[in-house]
Every structure is written in C-alpha cells, then in structure tokens.
Amino acid sequence: MKSDTAQSVSRRKFLKGGALAAGAAAGTLAAPAVVTAQSPIVLKMQSSWPASDVFQEMAQQYCDRVAKMSGDRLRIDLLPAGAVVGAFQVQDACHDGIIDCAHTVAVYWYGKHKAASFFGTGPVFGGSAAHMLAWYYAGGGADLYRELTQDVLGLNIVGFFGFPMPAQPLGWFKNEVKSAQDMNGLKYRTVGLAADLMQSMGLSVTQLPGGEIVPAMERGVIDAFEFNNPTSDMRFGAQDVAKNYMLSSYHQASESFEFIFNRDRFESLDPDLQAILQYAVEAASTSNYVLAMDQYSSDLQKLQEGGVNVVRTPTSVLEAQLTAWDKLIEQLGQDSINQKIMDSQKEWTERVVFFDLMNAPDYKLAYNHYFPGKITF
C-alpha cells in the first residue's frame, strides 16, 4: 500500500500529464483551418446612360446596395451606354446573355411592342409615377409585365421597377411655346408613345438616346427636344443649344427605371441573392429619389441663373395633349394586351388617385403662404 505522500505525488503527475494532453488536444482542435475565400459572383450590367449622366449615378447606387446587402458575395460591374451595345439594345443583350442585366427604361424597347410604353410613358389617366409604380407592385402591373415580356414576346428576362420619376418637362425650344400651334412642324426628340402623341399633334419626331440629343440639335436634325430632368439636360449641354425650358407635360407624366436580368442567370443564383437583386431595387428607389430632389432643384436654379427662360407649359398645350391621348388610346385599344393593360391602369388610377387628390392638402397654397410671389401660375 502506497503512503499518502506517494499517492499525492502520483496524483499530481496524473493531473499534470492529463492537463498537458488536454492542452495538446485543445491546441490541435484550435488550430485554424485553411479556408479559401470564395470569390464574389460578378454580374455584368450595362445601362442606357452616358457615364456622365445622373442616371448612371443612380444605377451605381443600386449596385452599391447589392454589394453591401450581400456581404460582397454579389457584385455588379456597371457599364455605360455603348460599352457593349447601344442604349436601346440592352434588353436584347440581356435576352441573349451578352450581358447579365441592364439599367434602362421600358420605353426604349417599345419598338418590339407598344405596350412596353405603358410601363413608362403611357396616358396614365391622371396618375403620377408614384401611382403607377404602386400599380406595378399592387395593382396587377407585375403580372402584366411578365405576360408581355415572357408570354407575348417570349423574352428570356425578368424585370423590376423602381424610382418614380418626376413628370418630364415638355422640353427645350428656341422660341417659347405659348400654344399648341407653336409646336406644329417642329422636329422634336422624344421616345415611346410620346413620339406617337407628338406626331399626332403635328410634330416630326426623332427617337434618339440621350447622348445623341445635343449633337443632333447642333446639326439641325432636330430643333426641339426633351430628355428627362434639369440635371441630365444641363449635363448634356441643353442650355448651349436652346434657351427656353418648358416645364410640365403629359407626354411622359410617369416613368420608372427598369432593372432587367437574363432569366437563366437570375434563376441560377441562390434564392437569397435573387431576393437581394429584387429588393435592392426598392432600396435604391429611395436613394434615387433623394438624389433627384436635391440635384434637379439645384440644377434648375443654376439654369435660371445662367440665363435660361424657365416657364411652365400653358394649360392650353396640356389640354391639347389630353385630347391627343384620347385619340391614341382608342387606336392602341385595338390590340388586346394594350387594352388589358390600359383597363388595369385606369381602374387603379380611378380609385387610388381619387383618394390621393381628395386627401392631399393644397401644397401650392402653403408654398405661396411662405414664399409669396415665387410662383406666378
């Protein structure tokens, strides 16, 4: 039998040995595993905008949000118009898989089917871009878009919409427009159903991408034009070729950005990444609107200070546009998908815009109260 001292020493040796063994095992388990970082998935996106345009900045806001929301697992390589294909060809490029995605507006492919313009530059029946974006998401617009692009046109794409744009100005003119007759015979740039509308009002219309507008004006190909907003127009140099800027129009009272994805590429991604691509559109919609309100108002002020005659389009011209829309709506309704979309939009706006107009206070009244004399119409 061992003595108490011998037992104590033996126990100390055992505990010490066990501790060393446990430490060695722990050291083995704690050794860092060799992990190879997974490269992010990179999607190639081309926009329909020149690199210098504010719309390209808005597209980049979307790309930045996708990267952050995905923890940098997904990145979008954003290219300007013309980098791979022309501004009006991005939908075809997505369909064919030449690019993975595009940042554009639906009106740019209305040559395939005029119904495309209902998702950008349609009659909208008194609705704003915010009303029509709500129609897309809650009023059946998304299903009609899918039906048009996939069932009617057989396109291999999926798409989402974001950023309800402020109504587009009537545009830039060498002489101030005081009546609809002043526009008769003008060579004018616009796109989509707005081209049909203006042609019916006696204008000769040319459809051009944004980057080609001012050069066309300088060469005399056109003698009046619209693009979208004060910031884009100023960056194009519109103020160098015309001095009369007419705000307010029904030719493009509603438009939102279209985010197009090659369907096969989109569906190949994990569900969470698909969700990020979809819902980042909503996140960017807010940031786009904030940027627009800041930049558009600031640049309009700069245009005025630079000698541009900024005026509101006369009511008589707006009324002439509505009359022209009435005739165009009747013609468009001869196509079943056109009529289906217009019926859906009209039903939506009758209910939603009624609420909005009844509920909204008179903002002009309040503005005049605090800033008397600034608004003269």
Side-chain angles (χ1 to χ4, degrees), residues 27-324:
T28 301
L29 292 173
V34 178
V35 178
T36 303
Q38 185 177 0
S39 299
I41 298 169
V42 179
L43 302 181
K44 181 165 62 177
M45 168 184 276
Q46 187 193 296
S47 78
S48 293
W49 328 120
S52 60
D53 188 39
V54 68
F55 284 176
Q56 192 73 356
E57 294 176 32
M58 293 176 176
Q60 188 61 55
Q61 288 181 320
Y62 170 73
C63 298
D64 292 344
R65 279 154 181 74
V66 167
K68 289 181 180 179
M69 292 167 72
S70 68
D72 215 30
R73 291 166 55 210
L74 184 60
R75 294 180 190 171
I76 298 178
D77 180 16
L78 177 64
L79 303 169
V84 181
V85 295
F88 289 177
Q89 281 76 53
V90 292
Q91 190 203 64
D92 286 336
C94 280
H95 168 76
D96 294 333
I98 297 171
I99 55 177
D100 299 310
C101 42
H103 188 272
T104 187
V105 285
V107 68
Y108 279 3
W109 51 272
Y110 112 123
K112 283 192 178 71
H113 199 295
K114 290 190 177 184
S117 205
F118 293 124
F119 297 91
T121 59
V124 301
F125 310 104
S128 68
H131 298 133
M132 302 321 295
L133 186 61
W135 165 78
Y136 175 81
Y137 283 106
D143 289 338
L144 289 167
Y145 175 82
R146 188 211 59 76
E147 181 179 345
L148 173 64
T149 56
Q150 296 185 18
D151 297 347
V152 176
L153 296 176
L155 297 171
N156 188 36
I157 65 166
V158 294
F160 310 103
F161 287 81
F163 176 43
M165 299 180 187
Q168 297 179 32
L170 183 65
W172 293 82
F173 299 82
K174 293 178 180 178
N175 299 305
E176 184 178 331
V177 172
K178 296 185 178 181
S179 69
Q181 288 69 34
D182 291 341
M183 300 171 66
N184 190 48
L186 290 178
K187 294 178 291 184
Y188 181 81
R189 180 274 175 191
T190 189
V191 291
L193 284 176
D196 298 42
L197 182 78
M198 293 303 193
Q199 283 176 339
S200 72
M201 294 177 67
L203 288 80
S204 175
V205 178
T206 300
Q207 302 196 46
L208 297 169
E212 298 179 21
I213 295 173
V214 169
M217 187 79 164
E218 291 172 330
R219 297 194 310 270
V221 175
I222 56 174
D223 44 33
F225 64 91
E226 64 80 35
F227 177 68
N228 189 280
N229 63 81
T231 298
S232 294
D233 292 350
M234 190 175 74
R235 292 188 188 184
F236 285 149
Q239 67 277 12
D240 298 329
V241 293
K243 292 298 181 184
N244 294 283
Y245 195 25
M246 311 291 299
L247 301 188
S248 175
S249 180
Y250 288 126
H251 79 285
Q252 287 183 282
S254 167
E255 190 162 37
S256 294
F257 287 137
E258 181 187 26
F259 298 73
I260 302 175
F261 296 87
N262 174 275
R263 185 178 178 183
D264 295 334
R265 188 72 174 104
F266 181 84
E267 293 179 350
S268 73
L269 300 171
D270 291 340
D272 65 324
L273 296 183
Q274 292 182 35
I276 286 170
L277 289 175
Q278 178 177 352
Y279 295 115
V281 171
E282 297 178 11
S285 191
T286 298
S287 63
N288 289 172
Y289 182 78
V290 170
L291 179 60
M293 289 297 97
D294 183 27
Q295 287 293 306
Y296 293 5
S297 60
S298 176
D299 289 333
L300 182 64
Q301 189 174 62
K302 291 175 185 175
L303 289 169
Q304 289 179 292
E305 293 169 350
V308 172
N309 179 35
V310 177
V311 294
R312 188 169 172 84
T313 300
T315 299
S316 61
V317 175
L318 299 176
E319 290 172 342
Q321 287 181 327
L322 291 177
T323 299

Side-chain angles (χ1 to χ4, degrees), residues 335-346:
D335 180 278
S336 59
I337 187 68
N338 286 346
Q339 189 63 55
K340 189 175 184 180
I341 295 172
M342 287 192 293
D343 286 345
S344 176
Q345 289 183 335
K346 197 169 183 179

